[in-house]
Every structure is written in structure tokens, then in C-alpha cells.
Amino acid sequence: MHARAIILILLSSSFFQTAGSAEPASPLLPGIRIAIVGNTFAEQLRSHGYLETLLLQHWQEEPVSIRNLGWAGDTLSIRDRPTNFPTEESTLRDHQTDVIIACFGMGESFEGEKGIENFKTDLKAFIASHRGKQYNGESDVRLILVSPIAYEDLGELTPRLEERNRELQLYTDAMRKVAANETVPFVDLYGPTSALMSVPDAIPLTTNGIHLSAYGYWVVSKILYDGFFESESAIGEQPWRINVDAKTNMSEAKGLSISGYSLDRREISFQATELANPSLPPPTQRNLPKALKARRDTMVIKNLQPGKYVLTVDGQRVTTASHEEWAAGVAIDSTPAHRAGEAYRNAINDKNLQFVYSWKALNQVHIVGERRNSPSGRALPEEILEFNALANQKDAALEGGIELKTREWRLIPDTN
Amino acid sequence: MKAFLTLLTALAVHSISLSGQNASGIKTSNLVGADLDLMNNHDPASQLENFELLPGYEVNLFAANPMFANPVHMVWDSRGRLWVACSWAYPQIKPGDVANDKIIILEDTDNDGVADKSTVFADGLYLPTGIELANGGCYVGQSPDVLFLKDTDGDDVADVRQLALTGFGIEDNHHSISAWRRGPGGWIYFQEGIFLHAQVETQYGVVRNFNGGVYQFNPRTQELRMFCRGTGGNPWGHVFDHWGQSFMVNNPRIMYLTPGTGSSNEPTRLPPLISTEKQCGGDIVTGTHLPEGIQGQLLTGRFKSRTVVRYEFIDDGAGFSANVLEPIIKSKHPNFRPVDVKIGPDGAIYIADWYNSIINHAQHDFRDPRRDHSHGRIWRITYKDRPLVKKPKLVGLPIPELVDHLKSPEAWTRHQTRKELSERNPDEVLAAVENWVQGLDPETDQYAHHLVEAMWACQNVERVSEPILSRVMSSKSGHARSAGARVIRYWHDELSDPIGMISQLAKDNFPRTRMEAVLSAGFIPQAEAVPAALMALDHERDKFIDVAIPSTLKGLRSHWEPAIEKGELDFARAGHREFAEQFAGIGIDKRLIALIGNPDPPRGEISAVKRQFVSTPSEKLVSLVVNAVGKNAVQSDAVSVELLDGLRIVGARTELEATREFSTLLPALAHSNDAVAVNAASSFGSWQVSSAGPQLLDLLRDGDRAPEVRRAAAIALGDLSQTKYTNMLKSLARVSDIATRYHALTGLVAGDLEEAKAMIGEVLTQEPLDADPVALVTEFTRIRRGDTVLAGLLENVAIHPEVKRSVSNYHRQTGQLPHRLVDLFSDSSEDSLSLALVSENREALAQDIDRFGDAEKGEMIFRRESLACINCHGIGSVGPSIGPNLVAVGTAASTSYMIESILEPNASIAEHYENMLFTMTDNSLHMGSIVYQDDNEVIIQDSALGQEVKLPVGNIRSKQSVPSLMPAGLADQLKSREEFLDLAKFLSVLGDPGPFQNDERPFIRKWRVASATGGHPPKDSESWKPAYSKINGELPSADLGLGAPVFAKGFVEVQTPGSIMLNINRLDGLELWVDGEEISDLEKPIELNEGRKELIFGLDPSKRSDLGLRVLLQPANGSPVKFRIEGGI
């Protein structure tokens, strides 16, 4: 079975479900303003930027604007904040929020089976607390619920493995049910991550069983993104795929359009016009499990003369592989477009950092808390406004995404 | 002339560098003369010249900028290299800046005591407050995150960066997760302080904490636990002693943490061992290089007064007591700021010097231009006559050889050995350690400690060794056994009979072992752990074990309470069962009866029973109390007072109705003890017992009773809410003697507020004669918005000047008058000194203070009773703690800050002294500063009662911040502007090097003075009036009374017996009795046994003229004596 299909099957049983009725359309629309709230998983989305890169590039000309209001350790019912910290509602209004992506259930799940009813009650209360609120000043806010991920087996680091996964499954199911009853879109991360954690060639997704590594965020961001847009006719993210047959002179491509071939069995060159955004490279040196290989941009070249070949794009070296490897398909993720994509992701992370410096600045006691009147910290309130302005500037600069170009691709024998 | 020129130049330079800056944060005294020269002299030689060390020690520069800068925290690796967390970004980055703090490795490759290599291990950090090494890498605390950084390719530059934990408090980065230290068992400890909220999601659950605590993190399993909660404050140091006991530098306090580490997981209020000045970092003196005399002492950096001070710990029951000792190093250089101290691989003492003329971000502006971002120093102190330690080679050593280093006399080596072992194969380590233990000679001195090291080594690899633990448990050393008892909390799961071990250790001869056993029991989730722990009751208890026992009982509550109720739990003795039952609240009536019959019950028992009564009142208990007090069956007045107070509280809250039985209580109104009568009256009021009306009325009218009794009767009458009595109060308020009018009107505030409002203005225009109007005025402030109401009523009233005087005086003494009323009752005229000073140019005033103020005169003004400074502020070891202790106030705060604090006390309120007003659900009010708070209760220093009061969180309706307790207008009590300059000057130099520095040598500072006219020291305590020494240790003659012979007594607590020598300013006209025994020769050693000693000096003024008395105690040559001079109020 095709790897992509496995992921699709993993996903299809899970998200945007409503009991028997038509699936609610995704509340994600061009140009909207999104807030992410929830636990450590939600909060750390901002450090890696994979999900946000996918979402911002989805409508490149009219991108969404995202503020991450996640807070480590948050649960639906306990969200400790510094004294006098601005309420979530005021921040949602400041951001003119249209859609809230809410990630809960990890901290709550430690209450086990006996905590399930409380969890459902808290979740309903959470949904009710936002119902009818117009943070954007015009229309009711929409919610998307996201389940916790599964608990990964990391040996000594991860005690009570089966029990904890049972609990996480229970909380995910509870969330699914409440979401369905309240007709709130829901994305299940438990199912797909659980499946991915158990494939034979899995690379660990987490650092401690419950928190994703950079690689984990790369993977899970794709699952989330697919989940958000699954009900839409056009699947959002499409990896580039170039198939070339050096013998038959046949070529086809997805995500790019190819022209100006010049090829023989020793050397191939063509112009490729980038139609879709490049897929960001996975932050790992290890071989991806089968199920995920297909999520990378790939070029397959069949029937090359035996030997090693190097791919250059606009004169820049991208990768080297043997004719067998080319025939099996080689991941392409360091072309100039990919580098631009990584730079774009870093710009997103920087925007988020400036927002953190503003919204969640250190020394809150001197800003809003117990020492807010202290003369020593009088510069801070002004400075956090400046940080916020910086975040807004950087957000505006993200508009338009990366530039897609027509570039010269060349495959030549590797003489090194 | 030269100095004057320097000053002019300095001011010129200064104003240039500050152009566009508000200069109010600048301490002008820093700009005078030599200080400024030094401040701008960044040559390390200028610092070296200005160090002063204990005899025998010398100091050299180990490393300096540009190898690193702004050091925050240091840790040694097992290769003997020093890792330093450095922060350029402190206190906060500015918009547009990129945080680029670093971890730098300093190395002394040629072992000459000077670092010659520096490597940036990691950069791009933002305010790293602590680092510790484990798992082949480095954990970095930078709130809210803990990162794990690791170098995998051997270039000493981190190439792995992972988020290990996140969610720690971000509220105040000077006390966010810091003081990192690997403990002997391999857990890493770090701590945070007051105001911080943390919520950290881990695979073991979500760890939440508020308001400070100590975390422990197991790098092997990545489990995060709270080691201790509720410590609050600014926790900047944590050390483990030779046997693994935990001490915290939690400023300004030094705390012994172990008793608070029980399983209840609740905040614990730990009494400090000693409280002095704020300090940062620290280490325990160990190793063969440093001399015997200072072994085991805690070294910590006093960044304010620029010293590294020493503390000694002395065994005291299950815990310790502590004394502060002369600093090992002092500096006059304004930039020397010791923030961390660590003993190094060569046995020398290494000191991280933050190096900046200003410190902290509370006292100085975040953007103060003098914040230094380019300097830093590490100093190294060695002892001249002793050889250095040779750095051991540990890395790469085979396990058995490594294990043998656990024997090393150097704590540094043993620590690094355990760390090295923690990264080796656990099973091989276990086998090697068990094998090593077999080969140890049980007869050697250090055998017990070797066993404990072996046990810790096993803990470091997460392996349990019952054979080693058994040996530790049967060791001859109590210290070893206590360490063994502690390990059970981590190992119980895999031990064959942990409960049996606990019962054995809980009755050990050594008190600390018993306490550790009790604490460990709490972690064994079985009902039977409780009877085992309570074996500790067979021995005498002390304040330390009394913190441990409740924690264990609470921690295991869900296990043992059901079992005891079902009768399924066996105890070794009936007394143990009773103790557990009492704890569970089973048998409160029995306890109450016992208390009633006890003529001299312990304070703790009275408050425990009262608390229980208030929290679970029943008709039966109410009846018991009413009958016992009414029928005079209570054997102790203290019990009657507290039970009646409990009765009053119950009356205000409960659904219960007063029964006819309450008439039994009526005789209590006539009780000769005023406090009993007051509380009886209040109880009748809160229960609304109208049948008590006539007696209450009699009491109110009885001019022979104390004013507070009559007032309580009036308030109770008001509380009855019966027209009959309200009318009585009205007529008494209208026509009576002035005292009765005051009382009646006070009652009306409760009974008929409108009527009281109508009359208050007229009453306050009358002359008070002998009566005191203060209680009437403050009664208004005890109702909600009462201050606003009263202020409105008095707006156009010509209050009698004597009334104003009384009320103003009350406010000066206590600071209790609400803001809105202060002006109304102000007795100062328009041209008051305060107003004149407030309107002056602040900078010019500050300069006048620095130039013309006379600190010596200022000190005497500070001590003046009419000014009331000493009613609230202590200095060093003596004085009250209502306001901040001022011992080092001059070192941290600017002169302008000083001016502001005196003239406008509300403008800047020191941390922890913010005055809060609590409105309770029963509408009562409490005001004071919070001394402790957790999820269940808030403890405040109640400013009205002058004592700590516990407020259950559930009963607090609201809380709000109210103005400072320090009354404005204090300056009006000064005679002239000169006096103000003197007072402010005194405060601004307090703690600075020089005559007003914090001198902690053991002077007697707290005195009781009595007239010697009778010839013998008086026996009754009333004849002795409190007095305190000046900063220089001298009790001035003014406090001794001029002319007539007097006695002055001081107290010393002797912890280890031995002989002392007295060092007295002059012996003429002086006699001395120690505990009643006359000492004939004051120049000879005096032998003292353990306990509290009373030293009474007789002074003959004819031979001393106006000389004061200055008494310093010193150990006699070679004597082991340890003692502590009594301080406080």
C-alpha cells in the first residue's frame, strides 16, 4: 500500500467527525486570524514553526495570521498565570481572533478514568465560554479541538506505558464525542501518532514520551494540517514529485512544471517552474520510515547509466546519489527554494519570539504584578508594546510567502 | 582640594553620561572621592588591593573578561574545568536586541591557578540562571525552560539542544529557577522564589507550584518532583553537607530544608536557622587544602556588602542551629559583587564576581546606564601554609578504580566520582560498589561515610542495594544511619521490608535518624507506614521532627485514616494510636476536656484544640466550652481566653443557635482577667444572646473596669441588634462622661451605624480628658469602606486638637490609620518640615545629604522614641520585623530612594512588606503584610494585633493592597532640616564599608535595663526596659539613664559548652553576674554550660561618666565553645 494512503487512512477515521451528519466545513479561511491555545504541545508549536509555515503558505497571497497563546502545563480547568496577567479574552480581542485552535487533554489525562466526566464537563464549559464571542468585532469565533498525542515507548523514561496510552485514548475519545455533540471540528492526533510510533522503522517523535522533538513537530504538523483541510476538495500540501526515464525520454512532475529538456543517459537538464511550495526537510539525519518518505519532495530517475550523479539547481549543488538510488527515488530538500522555505520558517519563529517577548515577557511582577509600581521597572510596559509592534511588523512581512521561480536543474555525473 | 576637583570632574562626566536619563536612580555618595575612582578602575589590580582576608589566606585572579563576563553561576566538571553561566541580557533584553547569553568553559591547563583557556560551549541563551552537568551534557535553567545541551563531536561546543522541561515561573527572573546543584543521590536540585507560578507537564504528571519551592529532577528517569514547597523568598543557594543534609540560602534567611521535604506535598513553613543579610550562591567548606577550623562552614556571597561570609552549623536535636562568622574575604571595591562560591578541584575557594557597581533590578532601574555588560571576574582563595590538592583523573577510569575514589578525603573528588559513575553501566557499577564495600575495613574512621558514599553511588545509577543499606543502618554513626533512613523514600519499592526498617530507624538514638525515618515513611503508600513512623514518639520531640510528623501523616492520609476508623491498624503503643487519632480529629471532645483540666497546657495544644473546635463546631463542643468557662472549671486563663475566642468565631459563622445554656457563661463577664471578660462579651455579641443584655450594660457603665472591657461590652450590645439596647447605647453616647460616650458610640457602629454617623462629629470636637479616642476612630475603619464614610463625616468638623494629637500619635507609632484619614487628624501645621522637604529639588536634597548629613547624629535620631523608626524596623540581629530590616539598606538603595522612603513611604514599598487589607466572609477585616501563603491559608503579620494571624483562604472574601504601614509625615517629628539630612545620611551609609557596616561579631545588642536603686537586680520583668546597642555594638549612656546606677542584662544561648572571654570597652565601674553568680574577674575566661545564659552587668556611673557599654563575646583560646547572642526584640 502506498505510504501516503496509510497516513490518509490513519487520519480519515479521526477528524472532523460528526455523528452521521455532514462534516462541518473547515473554519480555516484565507486571511483569518488564528489563536492557538492549550498545553505544552500547543505552546511549543511556536518554537518549530512547521505547522505555521504550512498554514501561512496555504493562502500565500492572503495568509492567515497566527498568535500562539499556549502555556506549558495548561489544562482546561487550571491555567496558572502571573498575578494580574492580561486575560485570554483580552489577548484574543487584541488579535481580532477569528478561529481558536485548542489543544488539551495531556495534563488532564493523568486523572485517569475517574477524571473523564470532569474532563467532558470542562470541555463543554470551555466551548460554551467562547460561544457567541466576537473577538474580531464582527463574527462569532470558531473553534477547532485537537487531541493529545500518544505516549511513546522510550524505555526507562516512560513508565506505565500501556496504562497511560489507555488513558490518552479515553480522553481522545471523550473529546471526539463532545466535539461531535457540539459540532466543533476535531483533529485526532492520538490515533495517527500511536500508529506512527509503532511502525517498525519508526524514529522517535518525542524526547520524553509526551513532548515532540523537532522531528516530531515536523511529522505531527503535517498530520494536523491534513486534518484541518481534509474535508476540502483540494489537499493542501503536495510534495514535489519528478519522474524521469532516461531511456524513454519521458518525464512528469507534480508541484513543478518542467520544460526545455535536454537529456541523454549521462546528463539531464531542464527548467522547472515551481508551482507548489517546497516541502521543508525533516530535521533528522536518519532514514524516514516508509510511511513518511512520500511526504518529502522526491525525484525518481530511471535507467541512468551506472555511476554517481549530482543534482544542481541554478548551479547550486543539491544532492548526490547513485543510479540505483535515483531509480528508487531521492529526497530533494535543499534546493534554493527549500532554503528560502527554511528562511521563511525562521522568520515565522522570530515573529513568534518577538510576540513571546511582548505577551509573556519575563519579570511580569514589574509589568503587571506585585511590583508593577516599582520605579525600577518603569521602562518595561513601553518596551513590551515595542516588542508587540515588532511582532506585528514581522507578521506583515510574512505576507506573500516565498518567491516561486523557474530554475535550471541539472543532473551530471559526479566526478568527485 | 584634590578631592573636591575629583568630585567636580566626576559630576561633569556623570552628567554627560546621563544626558537624557533620569538621574534619580543614581546614588550620589557613589560619586564622592575615592569610590568613584575605584568604580571606574577596571584593572583587576585595583580590586586585589582592596581585598581583606582572614589571616593565612591569599587571593588571586583566576579568570576575567574578556574570557567571559557577567557570571551568574558556576559548576565544575569531572575534568576540573569550570563551567560558567553568563548573562549579558540581565535584567531583560530591549526591543530589537537578540538574546545571546552564554555558557563558557574555563580551563587551567597548566595548573597554575589561573585559567588559560576559555570555550563558548553554548550561546544564544536568554538569562540562564543555573546549570548542572548530567547525561554527558549540561542542563540549563532559563525560565520558563530547562534546556539540555550536549556536545557530541568533542569540540566542547554544544551541538544538541533539547527542551527538557518547560513551564517554570517567569514573574521575576532574579529568583526564577536557580542555585542548581546535583545532590549526593544524583538528583538535580533547583529552586524558585516568591510570586512565581509554575506548571510543568512531565510524563509523570503535571507539577505545579506557587510562591517558591525546591524542585528535584532525576536526570536518569527525567522525573520532576517538588522536594519542598512554600519556601518563598529569594532562594539563591542550596548546599548539601557531608552527610547529605540540605541547607538553603533563602534570603535573608538560612534554612535547614530537610524537615520540610515530607510527602504531604503541601507548603511547609520552615523556621529559619538565622536571618541576616541577602546572599547569593554558596558552598560548604571541605577538602584537605583548607584548614580544620573552617571545615563544614557555609560560604556565601553578600553581594550588597561585598563580602563572602561564613556560617557554622551546630547539631541541635533533629536539626541544626547556625551562627554567622566573620567573612573570609571583604572588599571596599564598589564593583565586587560575589554571587557564587565553589570549592575547586585543587581545594581552593572560587568566587564568581558579577562585577558591577549596581546590583539587582528592584533597587535600580532596569535601564540604569551603569549596568555593566562587559566585565566579570573569578577569584581564587588559597591557604598559604597548606598544599593544594592534586587534580584527580576520573574521566575514562575503569569502574572499580573509579569506585575507589569514593574514599577520597576530597568532597570534590567524591562528588565527581558519583557523577562519572552515573554515566556508566548501572549493573556494572552496582556490582563494583557492592564488591568495594565487602573489602572495606570496618575499623577505619571513615568507614561509616564510605558506606554512605557507596549507597549514594547506587542511587546515582538507579539501583537498589539492600546489603549496603543494611550496613548503613547498623553503622555506629547516627549521621550515617540518618542518611540511610533518607534513602528509603527512594528505594522502598524494592526493599524486602521497608516498614520494618522504618520502625527500627524511627526509634533510633540519633534524633536526625528518627526524623529522616518519619519523612521516608510518608513515601511508602501503606497504612502500616504510620505506626512505624510513630515509633519516633518514644523519644523526645523537637521543632524539626514536629514539622516532619504531620507531613507524613497528611501524605498518607488516604491510607491510614480509613484503616484506623475500621480498627484495622495496629500501633506499638496506646499513645501512638492516640496521637494518630488526635491528628485525624478523632476524640476532640476528650482533648478539650483534658485541656480544660490542665493548669499549664502547652501553647500548641491550646491552638490545636481551638482550631479543631472552630473548624468542626458542634452543639456538644459549644456546650462544653460554655459550661467549662462559665462554671470557672478551666484551670488556665490562657485556655479560657482562646476557647472564648473560638466560641466568638463559631458564633459568627455557624448555623448553630445559642441555647439557654449560654446563661451559664454570664459570670465570665465579671472575670478578673480582662481578656477573659472581653472575649466573653464578644461571644455574647457574636451569638446574639439577648439575655446577656443587662449584664453587658452594667459592664459598659462600670467605670472601674478597663476601657477595653467596657468597649467590648458596648460592641456586644450593638451586635445584639435589639432596639432596646441600641437605644441605650444612643442615650449613653449622647449624655455621659466622655469615656462612656466613646464606648457607647463604638458599640453603635455595630448596632446602628446611621446613629453613630450622626453623633461622631460632635463627640470628636470634645476634649478627650483622660479617655482615648483612638479605639472609636479605628472602629470605623474596621467596617467596610469605613474610612471613606468617616472622612466624609469629618470633612467640616473642628476636631479637638487633643483628639488629633492622640490619633496622629497612634498613627505615627503604628502606621495603622487609613490613608484617607491621615490628613484629617494631622496635627501639623501648614509649614511642616515634611511639606517643605517634599517640595525641594530631590537631587539637590540628595547632594546635601551626602555632603552635610552626619550619620552619627542620624543614628541617634533614628533611635529616638518619638520618631518611632525603631517600633517597626530592626537593624541586623535586633529589633522588630514589621518593616524591612535596614542592616544593609544603604548598600542597595540610592539616597533618593531613601528620601522618598521617608517622605513618601507609599511611593516605594519593599518586597514582602506590601500592606494588604483582607475582607473576610464574616465581614471582619485584617490588615498586614503577608508572611506566608499557600492554597489553604494566608499568614499575615497583623498590624493591628502585632502578631501573626492565619487566615483560611476559604474565608477571605477579597484582598486589596493598601498604603504603606509607614506613616507619612514622620519628618515632622524632626527638629530641623539638618536633622533630616543626618537621618537620611545614616540610612544611606547603613551597611557600607566603614563605621556603619554590618558588623556581625557577637556583641550583645539586645539589652534589658533596670534601675539599680534597690541594690539588687529586680526579679519582675516589668522593671526591665528594652534597649538596643548602636551599629558599633555600644549601648549608649543615654539608654542607660544618666547619673544613677543601673543594671543591664543580655542573653546568650550556649550550644556547645566551653569558656568565653569578654571584650568590653572599659571595665571601670562594672560588675557582672552570669545566671546569678558573680564573676570576680572580667578579664578571665568564663566557663559556660549549655543553655540560655543571662549576663547582668551592674554599672556605676560615677566611674564611667557618660561612657556606654560595649560587650563582645569571644571563645577563650582553644575552647570548643559555640554560642549565639540573643537578638530580636
Side-chain angles (χ1 to χ4, degrees), chain A residues 39-40 44 72-74 78 80-82 110 157 208 210-211 357 362-366 371 376 378 383, chain B residues 91-96 163 170-173 195 197 199 201-203 205 208 361-362 364-367 911:
Chain A
N39 49 25
T40 310
Q44 283 300 311
D74 264 6
I78 311 179
D80 286 340
R81 294 288 183 274
F110 288 99
L157 288 186
N208 61 2
I210 65 168
H211 294 139
Y357 286 158
L362 299 185
N363 291 312
Q364 286 290 327
V365 293
H366 289 274
R371 302 190 59 90
S376 65
R378 64 193 145 194
E383 288 180 6
Chain B
Q92 190 141 346
I93 63 163
K94 286 185 198 165
L163 184 70
I170 57 164
E171 283 89 339
D172 204 352
N173 62 25
F195 303 143
H197 293 81
Q199 41 177 34
E201 203 177 273
T202 79
Q203 61 268 48
R208 291 178 197 281
H361 60 254
H364 293 280
D365 200 290
F366 274 60
R367 303 303 175 211
E911 199 162 305

Side-chain angles (χ1 to χ4, degrees), chain B residues 633-647:
Chain B
V634 185
Q635 298 299 302
S636 148
D637 282 357
V639 171
S640 293
V641 169
E642 291 304 321
L643 289 182
L644 285 173
D645 189 52
L647 189 64

Side-chain angles (χ1 to χ4, degrees), chain B residues 135 211 235 440 548 568 720 756 1116:
Chain B
N135 290 341
N211 246 347
L440 291 174
E568 285 170 358
L720 295 182

Side-chain angles (χ1 to χ4, degrees), chain B residues 284-312:
Chain B
I284 297 261
V285 177
T286 56
T288 56
H289 172 64
L290 295 167
E292 194 55 40
I294 74 163
Q295 294 290 323
Q297 292 177 2
L298 165 68
L299 302 178
T300 176
R302 284 193 172 165
F303 52 90
K304 287 187 179 180
S305 54
R306 306 177 193 96
T307 63
V308 174
V309 76
R310 299 178 294 140
Y311 290 92
E312 63 180 359

Side-chain angles (χ1 to χ4, degrees), chain B residues 357-410:
Chain B
S357 66
I358 62 163
I359 45 161
N360 241 332
H361 60 254
Q363 290 85 355
H364 293 280
D365 200 290
F366 274 60
R367 303 303 175 211
D368 190 306
R370 291 167 301 166
R371 289 205 181 277
D372 181 288
H373 301 284
S374 55
H375 295 93
R377 309 272 148 90
I378 293 185
W379 301 99
R380 171 175 173 269
I381 298 178
T382 48
Y383 194 76
K384 287 179 218 167
D385 294 340
R386 297 174 69 102
L388 290 164
V389 176
K390 193 174 171 293
K391 253 187 235 177
K393 185 187 173 329
L394 302 171
V395 178
L397 225 52
I399 291 174
E401 284 174 47
L402 204 46
V403 169
D404 205 41
H405 275 296
L406 294 173
K407 258 188 200 163
S408 166
E410 311 300 332

